[in-house]
Amino acid sequence: MLGQSLPRLVTPPPGARSRALVDVLARTECPAFTARRARRAEASGAPQDPIVWAEARGSNVVDADGNVYVDLTSGFGVAAIGHAHPRVREAIAAQSERLVHGLGDLHPSDVKIALLERLAQLAPWEGARVVLSISGSDAVETALKSAALATKKPGVLAFEGGYHGLGHGPLAACGYAPAFRAPFAAQLNPHVRFAAWDEHDAGAALRAVDAAWSDDVGAVLVEPLQGRGGCRPASPGFLAGLAERCRERGALLIADEILTGLGRTGATFWSVEAGTLPDLICVGKALGGGMPISACLGRAEVMAAWGASDGEAIHTGTFFGQPLSCAAALASLDVLREEGLAARAAEVGGRFAARLHAATGRPVTGTGLLLGVRFDAPVLGLVARLLGQGWLTLPAGADARTLQLVPPLNIDEPLLEAFTAALAAEVRA
Ligand SMILES: Cc1ncc(COP(=O)(O)O)c(C=O)c1O
């Protein structure tokens, strides 16, 4: 049954139908994407042509040729409750009978108001205020603007290895790879400083923060566990030290929980679980159960800096709070809570990490079901070979030496065991 099925390949991927579609892609899509595949193929020594997704249910993805894969990426962390969860599909269908599009912040929809109320309750502060948006990048943009308004300081402290999306605001703070910023450098916030990220030594990490700090810093933007940067957690005590510095120096702490939040790491908010109370929290990815929606949650005092509107909303978007996405988000939050998926992520993730380490002998980092297996060389070839056996995984880290494993939080454990065996065999080979 599709949903929790082992890989089933009917043709070596990518099959003929996928290849034909990718030819169309190569003619029509922005050439940067096509060129990237060619470069990855060169770097890995293995073909990197993509499969074309045609269907997905639960932990399974089916490609255009009918091959069935197990998705250990959750589609970039989105399918936390699995792909196309029935509750999400029902919510979208029911909402589509009533209201597909609203009038945003001018004449808001009832379902948008319900989601705002739910997220305000989920936030770790009394009286939290929420801004809905579409992408993770949007949510970070909202947080950066909120901090600039509240502190009247333009500076941002961000971290090497950090990834926050690619709109101009978050891009300026993209420490993942300088190459992302370089072509647009002249257009980006010049008041961004980067501190080194030390996942092992909180003292060294805090000294790096002190060295990078300047008086104009109004926002410190941090992923409590760097995902794309290579599954690199904050060292214990680091986030608390960071929050203390923010308080002392009049800056606000923004936790980018777009990947880590809503259960993935075993808690609703990983920064809070790790003993820190940020001033602003960004969520996205898992929030919409597959629909595009994100949110910036903020302390009431911080969000008060936006002031009362003088008639024009100075931060909005046509599709912010889109009714179908709001309905999907409410269903997705219900499923996460009712199925206890944060606790399950912690439990299953703990066992998965231990098995991965035992089977491969490689270091395993991360927490809950946000895990990385570290290698000494880039894993692009490994990712391609695993795809050839029906396992969808991603490389992480600017050096691509981490195999990132981000399965749905409700994935059947035998699938993880079968994957561990497949990975161990690849490592031995
Ligand atoms: C931690 C984090 N922040 C922000 C983003 C950007 O989200 P989006 O791609 O939806 O703009 C991502 C995406 O991978 C992310 O992992």
Side-chain angles (χ1 to χ4, degrees), residues 136-158 164-165 167-174 189 191-192 217-222 252-256 280-282 296-297 302-303 305-306 315:
S137 174
D138 292 339
V140 173
E141 195 113 306
T142 306
L144 290 171
K145 282 186 176 178
S146 302
L149 287 175
T151 63
K152 302 191 171 50
K153 295 196 253 186
V156 177
L157 185 92
H164 308 285
H168 274 46
L171 176 59
C174 176
N189 179 2
H191 309 280
V192 178
V217 169
V220 174
L221 175 59
V222 67
L252 297 178
L253 184 63
I254 304 171
D256 178 347
L280 293 145
I281 299 178
C282 301
C296 172
L297 284 48
V302 172
M303 298 308 258
W306 282 94
H315 182 70

Side-chain angles (χ1 to χ4, degrees), residues 338-350:
E338 288 166 23
E339 296 186 7
L341 291 183
R344 186 177 193 272
E347 206 183 298
V348 173

